[in-house]
């Protein structure tokens, strides 16, 4: 938008042939007709007050989310998701004397791109994602894209998905997938069918009752349900030694464990601090002991704390872990080491 009367009124500027979702703006103080804009699509320049835009294609910039690789030979491929610019795959090397070019990159799924996982035994089978659990199975050889998102049953409450939902291919069976919203899902047939193997793993807090700037604002007071994270969902899960041993983290400060493939589970570890819960972003299991894992980083920025935290589980005997009236349990405790 632009105002030429000191802000009394605004009108739209032209965005012809330009990407949207603007984040940064520079106006030439010597020539107000020249603007440079940083947006989800990169950097654009105009010399005629936005009547026409030039895309700076020589700058290798994009908003990349998570990066993964496959086991293709002779050169492995690199996968990832880009903000507002699809999920992509490109080669790590090429035999062309021109090197890797833009045309070597292919789209695996449209939309905002996020974590991509690749079948470790068949690099042609790719699982890319879009926001809110928009997962698909992409076949590089045929180009086929199949939507495999788990869907609620009739009469079942809507699943609560992260903007970037956790996805895992089992290290015990390459056709087995784990995927999570506020519940954990398992598929043994590459996503064709899903089994819900947990109940609601969150604290089940109504976000609309949480205070914002000292007040509890209702459902319609803030844009909390459009193009934003939905509160309380699972964030990451990992199993290394035992196919029935799964660890799940949530954005409301819980880490939960099941040792029988989801038949039963325990709120084994509670991460909580004054002012609100940690945002459990990633869990990494030990390569030597299935009972040990680390939570890194534990994010607390939603409560104004921007320090990085790392938790590590530790074996103890007869440790009691409880949470707001839940019965104490034996198991692994969590310790907070020095701030990094």
């Amino acid at each position: 938008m632009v105002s030429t009367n000191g802000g009394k009124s605004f009108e739209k500027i032209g965005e012809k042939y330009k990407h949207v979702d603007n984040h940064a703006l520079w106006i030439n103080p010597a020539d107000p007709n020249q603007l440079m804009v940083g947006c989800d699509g990169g950097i654009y320049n105009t010399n005629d007050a936005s009547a026409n835009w030039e895309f700076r294609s020589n700058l290798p910039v994009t908003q990349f989310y998570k990066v993964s690789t496959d086991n293709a030979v002779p050169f492995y491929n690199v996968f990832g998701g880009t903000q507002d610019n699809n999920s992509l795959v490109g080669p790590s090397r090429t035999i062309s004397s021109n090197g890797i070019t833009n045309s070597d990159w292919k789209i695996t799924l449209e939309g905002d791109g996020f974590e991509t996982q690749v079948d470790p035994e068949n690099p042609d089978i790719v699982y890319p994602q879009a926001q809110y659990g928009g997962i698909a199975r992409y076949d590089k050889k045929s180009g086929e894209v199949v939507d495999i998102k788990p869907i609620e049953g009739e009469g079942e409450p809507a699943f609560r998905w992260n903007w970037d939902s956790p996805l895992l291919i089992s290290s015990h069976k390459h056709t087995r997938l784990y995927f999570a919203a506020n519940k954990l899902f398992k598929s043994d047939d590459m996503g064709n069918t899903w089994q819900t193997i947990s109940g609601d793993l969150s604290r089940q807090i109504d976000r609309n009752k949480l205070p914002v700037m000292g007040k509890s604002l209702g459902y319609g007071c803030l844009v909390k349900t459009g193009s934003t994270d939905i509160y309380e969902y699972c964030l990451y899960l990992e199993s290394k030694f035992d196919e029935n041993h799964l660890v799940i983290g949530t954005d409301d400060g819980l880490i939960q464990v099941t040792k029988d493939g989801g038949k039963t589970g325990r709120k084994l570890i509670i991460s909580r601090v004054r002012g609100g819960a940690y945002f459990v972003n990633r869990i990494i299991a030990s390569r030597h002991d299935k009972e040990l894992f680390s939570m890194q980083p534990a994010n607390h920025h939603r409560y104004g704390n921007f320090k990085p935290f790392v938790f590590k589980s530790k074996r103890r005997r007869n440790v009691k872990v409880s949470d707001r009236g839940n019965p104490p349990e034996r198991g692994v405790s969590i310790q907070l080491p020095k701030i990094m």
Side-chain angles (χ1 to χ4, degrees):
M1 309 287 286
V2 61
S3 174
T4 57
N5 55 15
K8 294 181 179 179
S9 61
F10 284 84
E11 59 185 34
K12 292 182 179 180
I13 66 173
E15 291 194 283
K16 184 179 181 180
Y17 303 125
K18 175 190 164 296
H19 204 288
V20 293
D21 291 351
N22 304 297
H23 299 289
L25 171 66
W26 175 80
I27 305 173
N28 188 338
D31 181 6
N33 290 319
Q34 183 186 13
L35 295 81
M36 296 191 71
V37 174
C39 62
D40 279 3
I43 297 177
Y44 290 79
N45 180 81
T46 178
N47 294 310
D48 53 14
S50 77
N52 297 281
W53 291 92
E54 174 192 9
F55 175 57
R56 296 300 176 91
S57 60
N58 62 316
L59 299 177
V61 293
T62 191
Q63 298 179 74
F64 237 96
Y65 279 86
K66 295 181 178 178
V67 176
S68 56
T69 60
D70 63 15
N71 293 324
V73 291
F75 307 131
Y76 67 87
N77 295 288
V78 179
F79 299 79
T82 63
Q83 174 63 36
D84 220 13
N85 282 274
N86 312 305
S87 294
L88 303 172
V89 56
S92 61
R93 297 182 66 182
T94 176
I95 60 174
S96 170
S97 58
N98 295 320
I100 301 172
T101 63
N102 286 345
S103 61
D104 291 320
W105 285 84
K106 307 299 180 183
I107 295 174
T108 59
L109 185 66
E110 295 181 348
D112 292 295
F114 295 99
E115 180 175 10
T116 295
Q117 293 285 345
V118 187
D119 190 312
E121 297 186 19
N122 182 0
D124 288 328
I125 301 300
V126 181
Y127 300 96
Q129 278 191 70
Q131 62 266 52
Y132 297 140
I135 186 174
R137 185 178 65 244
Y138 171 73
D139 190 324
K140 286 198 301 178
K141 186 170 291 185
S142 67
E144 180 186 42
V145 179
V146 179
D147 180 8
I148 58 172
K149 179 180 179 179
I151 302 298
E152 302 86 351
E154 184 176 358
E156 187 178 4
F159 297 141
R160 297 195 301 274
W161 296 97
N162 187 10
W163 192 254
D164 176 14
S165 300
L167 171 65
L168 178 72
I169 298 178
S170 172
S171 58
H172 305 278
K173 184 179 180 181
H174 72 101
T175 59
R176 176 179 296 161
L177 306 177
Y178 292 99
F179 199 41
N182 57 314
K183 298 181 178 181
L184 180 59
F185 310 102
K186 172 184 174 181
S187 173
D188 277 324
D189 54 10
M190 303 166 64
N192 288 325
T193 60
W194 291 94
Q195 176 187 4
T196 304
I197 62 172
S198 81
D200 191 323
L201 295 169
S202 72
R203 295 181 189 271
Q204 303 179 46
I205 299 172
D206 185 352
R207 71 182 299 181
N208 294 297
K209 295 181 180 179
L210 296 176
V212 178
M213 294 182 289
K215 298 180 179 180
S216 294
L217 304 177
Y219 181 84
C221 292
L222 294 174
V223 186
K224 293 182 288 187
T225 55
S227 296
T228 58
D229 279 346
I230 300 174
Y231 188 53
E232 293 192 317
Y233 41 72
C234 299
L235 284 161
Y236 210 85
L237 46 103
E238 189 72 270
S239 61
K240 293 286 186 180
F241 296 91
D242 183 346
E243 61 180 338
N244 293 313
H245 190 177
L246 305 173
V247 183
I248 304 101
T250 67
D251 74 326
D252 57 2
L254 299 182
I255 299 179
Q256 301 187 56
V257 175
T258 176
K259 296 185 178 182
D260 53 15
K263 294 179 182 179
T264 60
R266 292 191 295 167
K267 198 175 293 184
L268 188 63
I269 297 172
I270 307 301
S271 57
R272 186 172 61 225
V273 293
R274 183 180 301 173
Y278 286 109
F279 186 115
V280 181
N281 187 59
R282 183 178 176 87
I283 296 171
I284 299 178
S286 167
R287 296 184 178 183
H288 310 287
D289 188 335
K290 70 178 181 181
E291 298 292 342
L292 302 181
F293 56 89
S294 62
M295 182 177 74
Q296 50 181 324
N299 194 312
H300 201 233
H301 78 276
R302 288 176 170 178
Y303 298 91
N305 187 348
F306 295 94
K307 297 177 181 178
F309 296 91
V310 176
F311 287 97
K312 179 182 179 181
S313 64
K314 182 179 180 181
R315 280 185 174 277
R316 286 183 178 179
R317 293 183 178 180
N318 300 323
V319 172
K320 294 183 178 180
V321 184
S322 62
D323 178 49
R324 296 185 181 180
N326 288 341
E329 297 164 341
R330 297 170 181 260
V332 180
S333 67
I334 203 77
Q335 289 189 330
L336 179 65
K338 294 181 180 179
I339 297 175
M340 298 177 62

